[in-house]
Amino acid sequence: MPVVELQDVCKSFRKGGEIIQPLRHVDLRIESGEFVSLMGPSGTGKSTLLNLVSGIDQVDSGRIVVDGTEVTTLSRSRLADWRARSIGYIFQTHQLIPVLTAYENVELPTLLLKQSATERHRRVDLALEAVGLADRAAHYPRQLSGGQEQRVGIARAIVSHPRVVVADEPTGSLDTDTSEQIQELLQRLNQELDITMLMVTHDADVAAIASRRLLLDHGKLLETDLNEPGKTAAG
Amino acid sequence: MMKYVLKTIWRHRARTLLTVCGAAVAIFVFGLVTSVQEGLDRLTHGDAFNRSLIVFQENRFCPTSSRLPEDYADRIRPLAGVREVMPIQVWTNNCRASLDIVVFNGADPRQIRAYRPMTLVGGSWQAFESRRDAALVGRSVAQRRDLSVGDQFSIGDVSVHIAGIFRSSVPSEENLIYTSLRFLQYTNSLDAAGLVTQHEVLLTEGADPDRVAAEIDAELRSGTVATRTRRKGAFQAGTLSDLVDLIGFSHWLGYACVGLVLSLVATTTVMSVQDRMKEYAILQVIGARPLGTLRLVLAESTLLCVLGGALGTVAAMILLTFGGYAIGAEGVTIAFRPSTRLVASSLIVSLIVGLLAGLGPAFQVSTIKIVDALRTE
Ligand SMILES: Nc1ncnc2c1ncn2[C@@H]1O[C@H](COP(=O)(O)OP(=O)(O)OP(=O)(O)O)[C@@H](O)[C@H]1O
Ligand SMILES: [Mg+2]
């Protein structure tokens, strides 16, 4: 059974007078443990696709099932509960809460799951260790570098042990070295923790770390050939 | 999650401080206004004031103008429903409304001791009964005028020796000074030998106050001076009628204070939340329910408001406890005293106002479109 399944998903936006339809009858199946990258020209609807999968936006039509839950039918607060359990979301810019320390930021999702204090501590320590920031737990976001902030963001996304993690250009605002560290980290999390990854990127080199690569163009998803990492479907 | 609320409030210390101070000042004023109203309520509706009657000269208001024969007491005493009659001479330094009114009540020392709900906190009954110019001073007057046992206190032509200081279960009593009836009657300016200002009639169990009052007035109609007898509560309300209007008006001041706190805390909360829409969106992305974020906003506004309210309440209580304030007119005084009811009402008002102030932004946050909020930079 696939962990993520999209059936005939359509999504359009009204912008002023015109209607843009970034997703037109999209079908997609992602199996457990896969690392999928998603590329495509700017404005084609990649972020929109992630938002639909993580249930923070609603489809116009079609069906999305993630980890056995049909997210397209859930109410807002049910969706929130479901996200807390099953989805990790990595933003392009970390989006940490500035008044909370690294530790407290990572702890947030576990607070929502109503876990015992000892279980919370264990998980937060584990997540911070996994991203190599155990020694920065007490630091505030402004005291961390961009790469460190992004790693805290990743720790926050994995702390509740979700089946699926979506990442929207996780290396988009980092320099090459830092970007490479993050790529390695994501790959390790995918392999060692068996987290299914769906990652949007503009960078073909970043996309190359994925086990499967997709291209979104003109509202349609295409599989791209693994042997031609630079190829884009411009035509 | 409370940590998030506290740290957010702390991040904008200056804004928090200003809001809390503003709320504190307004709740402080609200507390004072409420205490004035409570004082008046006690005076006009208190049980203590419905079981006794005041016999006063008809169509007279200021105590200096009411002059009843002292021996009216002997004519009232045999009437059915009358337990005891207490002739009282009143003297005040000021017949108009004033914040620093001094009211003397002259009565038989044995009756004072028997019928007034007072406890001495200094001095002794014996000293009071053994000296002609001895006086028992209410705690509030003593505080306000800085008087202690053994002092000589003079005002106008009256000069008394302070034999004791008392507290009373009836707050307005603490604004009185008691002397013996004879002493006050022979004060030069009063020249009231054989005369008293009023008779206070204590009723027997089960007697109908209004019926007894009517009987007293009928009995004394044949006397030299016509009388008007009312329940003590109604008498006091009537005497204070000018002030009652004024105090009724001060209701509006209380409401205005509440409105002030509401708009102040609401403004701060709106500003604070507007700045952090994206944070609430992020919280929802990581799994916070809309209702959960709603509660966070309410917690923030309520905390600010209750913090300010608590400070204002404490300040008001301190002032009321140590100020011993009273406002009086025509020999009747309204005491402003701290009370647990006052504390409770101030705190409950701040709690409710805090919740109301957060309602708008809280609703906004809980219905936010996550995707749109995340797209804003
Ligand atoms: N909430 C919205 N309201 C109106 N239009 C929207 C909204 N969200 C997205 N769009 C439009 O939908 C299209 C797809 O947007 P989306 O953000 O998914 O693109 P993207 O592929 O992630 O682009 P990029 O690579 O630049 O991040 C764009 O044309 C965008 O303007
Ligand atoms: Mg995007």
Side-chain angles (χ1 to χ4, degrees):
Chain A
M1 221 183 85
V3 187
V4 178
E5 186 170 17
L6 281 73
Q7 292 172 2
D8 202 23
V9 168
C10 293
K11 177 70 181 176
S12 58
F13 293 106
R14 192 183 298 274
K15 219 183 210 173
E18 63 175 320
I19 291 172
I20 353 174
Q21 193 174 20
L23 302 178
R24 298 174 202 158
H25 307 283
V26 170
D27 292 298
L28 172 66
R29 290 162 72 95
I30 300 174
E31 300 299 329
S32 177
E34 271 192 303
F35 192 150
V36 178
S37 71
L38 178 59
M39 293 186 67
S42 184
T44 46
K46 304 180 297 296
S47 299
T48 303
L49 183 77
L50 288 197
N51 292 341
L52 293 176
V53 168
S54 53
I56 60 178
D57 207 349
Q58 271 76 51
V59 296
D60 293 341
S61 64
R63 205 168 154 253
I64 298 177
V65 180
V66 180
D67 194 15
T69 305
E70 188 172 346
V71 299
T72 33
T73 61
L74 293 182
S75 70
R76 248 188 107 148
S77 57
R78 285 279 176 81
L79 271 174
D81 289 349
W82 166 79
R83 265 198 305 277
R85 271 181 283 113
S86 311
I87 285 278
Y89 199 113
I90 301 171
F91 301 86
Q92 174 174 358
T93 50
H94 55 85
Q95 308 286 21
L96 300 176
I97 307 282
V99 288
L100 300 179
T101 63
Y103 185 95
E104 289 160 352
N105 265 288
V106 176
E107 192 186 19
L108 278 176
T110 63
L111 289 169
L112 298 168
L113 286 177
K114 312 246 179 321
Q115 286 166 337
S116 72
T118 43
E119 177 65 10
R120 284 207 312 267
H121 285 310
R122 200 182 63 79
R123 288 198 175 193
V124 177
D125 288 342
L126 223 64
L128 281 172
E129 226 159 88
V131 299
L133 281 180
D135 56 336
R136 292 282 192 280
H139 286 54
Y140 285 90
R142 61 170 188 282
Q143 301 168 319
L144 298 171
S145 71
Q148 288 170 334
E149 284 179 305
Q150 187 58 300
R151 282 192 276 164
V152 175
I154 293 173
R156 184 178 64 185
I158 60 167
V159 70
S160 48
H161 300 180
R163 284 294 299 279
V164 179
V165 167
V166 299
D168 197 352
E169 301 183 43
T171 59
S173 47
L174 300 174
D175 61 61
T176 323
D177 283 355
T178 325
S179 167
E180 270 165 21
Q181 290 175 16
I182 299 292
Q183 290 168 43
E184 264 171 49
L185 175 59
L186 292 175
Q187 224 165 357
R188 235 183 52 228
L189 295 175
N190 169 243
Q191 282 156 14
E192 292 172 14
L193 301 179
D194 196 31
I195 293 174
T196 306
M197 290 267 184
L198 175 56
M199 174 181 71
V200 168
T201 180
H202 276 292
D203 187 333
D205 294 338
V206 177
I209 63 171
S211 56
R212 179 180 165 201
R213 277 167 295 154
L214 300 174
L215 183 71
L216 182 63
D217 199 16
H218 292 94
K220 290 288 181 194
L221 270 181
L222 309 166
E223 303 270 346
T224 52
D225 195 331
L226 262 176
N227 301 322
E228 293 173 69
K231 179 182 170 185
T232 52
Chain B
M1 296 305 268
M2 208 52 211
K3 204 187 287 175
Y4 171 61
V5 174
L6 292 175
K7 284 188 156 184
T8 298
I9 290 178
W10 185 243
R11 176 167 54 173
H12 296 283
R13 291 180 272 292
R15 184 166 73 189
T16 300
L17 193 74
L18 289 172
T19 308
V20 166
C21 284
V25 170
I27 292 291
F28 172 76
V29 175
F30 173 81
L32 295 187
V33 169
T34 311
S35 99
V36 175
Q37 313 218 325
E38 268 192 356
L40 180 65
D41 271 358
R42 270 195 307 261
L43 219 51
T44 52
H45 300 298
D47 275 350
F49 301 124
N50 274 323
R51 296 308 304 163
S52 63
L53 304 173
I54 298 289
V55 185
F56 212 69
Q57 184 171 347
E58 201 173 21
N59 298 325
R60 297 297 161 90
F61 301 100
C62 190
T64 47
S65 61
S66 168
R67 295 161 82 84
L68 302 177
E70 187 182 341
D71 58 16
Y72 269 9
D74 301 328
R75 294 174 62 180
I76 298 171
R77 208 168 275 121
L79 296 175
V82 175
R83 179 157 63 102
E84 180 60 288
V85 182
M86 193 168 166
I88 297 173
Q89 177 67 48
V90 179
W91 185 92
T92 172
N93 66 329
N94 190 348
C95 240
R96 281 162 304 175
S98 160
L99 260 182
D100 188 22
I101 197 164
V102 175
V103 180
F104 286 88
N105 274 9
D108 179 350
R110 274 169 305 125
Q111 286 191 327
I112 294 173
R113 190 169 183 175
Y115 301 121
R116 285 294 185 243
M118 56 166 66
T119 319
L120 290 189
V121 293
S124 71
W125 284 102
Q126 198 224 331
F128 178 54
E129 283 163 22
S130 61
R131 217 179 133 147
R132 198 183 145 276
D133 66 345
L136 293 180
V137 178
R139 189 163 62 157
S140 295
V141 190
Q143 219 164 42
R144 216 164 52 227
R145 292 261 171 172
D146 194 21
L147 304 175
S148 33
V149 175
D151 288 355
Q152 195 72 25
F153 174 56
S154 307
I155 182 162
D157 326 310
V158 184
S159 178
V160 293
H161 172 83
I162 298 174
I165 291 174
F166 66 89
R167 65 183 164 76
S168 169
S169 56
V170 180
S172 56
E173 288 272 311
E174 295 183 346
N175 287 298
L176 296 179
I177 300 176
Y178 281 101
T179 66
S180 74
L181 180 59
R182 295 287 165 263
F183 170 75
L184 215 53
Q185 276 175 329
Y186 288 96
T187 293
N188 285 336
S189 62
L190 279 175
D191 187 22
L195 295 175
V196 295
T197 310
Q198 64 202 43
H199 291 280
E200 182 162 341
V201 179
L202 306 173
L203 300 173
T204 57
E205 204 81 28
D208 174 2
D210 298 327
R211 223 198 62 236
V212 178
E215 276 171 19
I216 292 172
D217 288 341
E219 164 68 26
L220 298 177
R221 183 117 319 137
S222 61
T224 49
V225 184
T227 60
R228 168 126 194 252
T229 305
R230 281 178 288 178
R231 295 181 194 212
K232 192 169 181 179
F235 168 78
Q236 294 182 142
T239 310
L240 291 172
S241 63
D242 293 350
L243 280 179
V244 170
D245 291 348
L246 204 66
I247 290 169
F249 180 73
S250 77
H251 255 120
W252 294 104
L253 191 62
Y255 295 143
C257 288
V258 173
L260 204 65
V261 181
L262 182 66
S263 68
L264 186 65
V265 177
T267 306
T268 303
T269 312
V270 166
M271 272 164 55
S272 160
V273 168
Q274 221 64 272
D275 286 353
R276 289 179 297 114
M277 270 312 189
K278 201 172 185 179
E279 283 182 32
Y280 288 107
I282 293 163
L283 286 175
Q284 293 191 23
V285 170
I286 64 178
R289 288 186 193 175
L291 210 66
T293 51
L294 179 129
R295 278 208 298 265
L296 289 178
V297 176
L298 290 184
E300 189 179 325
S301 63
T302 309
L303 203 66
L304 285 180
C305 208
V306 170
L307 212 65
L311 280 178
T313 307
V314 167
M317 289 306 123
I318 290 174
L319 188 76
L320 291 173
T321 309
F322 298 105
Y325 289 104
I327 187 168
E330 297 166 10
V332 177
T333 58
I334 305 172
F336 311 155
R337 307 296 303 160
S339 72
T340 46
R341 237 189 74 194
L342 197 60
V343 173
S345 69
S346 296
L347 290 182
I348 289 171
V349 162
S350 2
L351 186 77
I352 292 173
V353 167
L355 288 172
L356 286 179
L359 224 49
F363 182 73
Q364 201 184 354
V365 155
S366 69
T367 54
I368 187 178
K369 281 205 71 178
I370 301 176
V371 186
D372 291 347
L374 287 178
R375 284 167 74 92
T376 60
E377 275 310 319

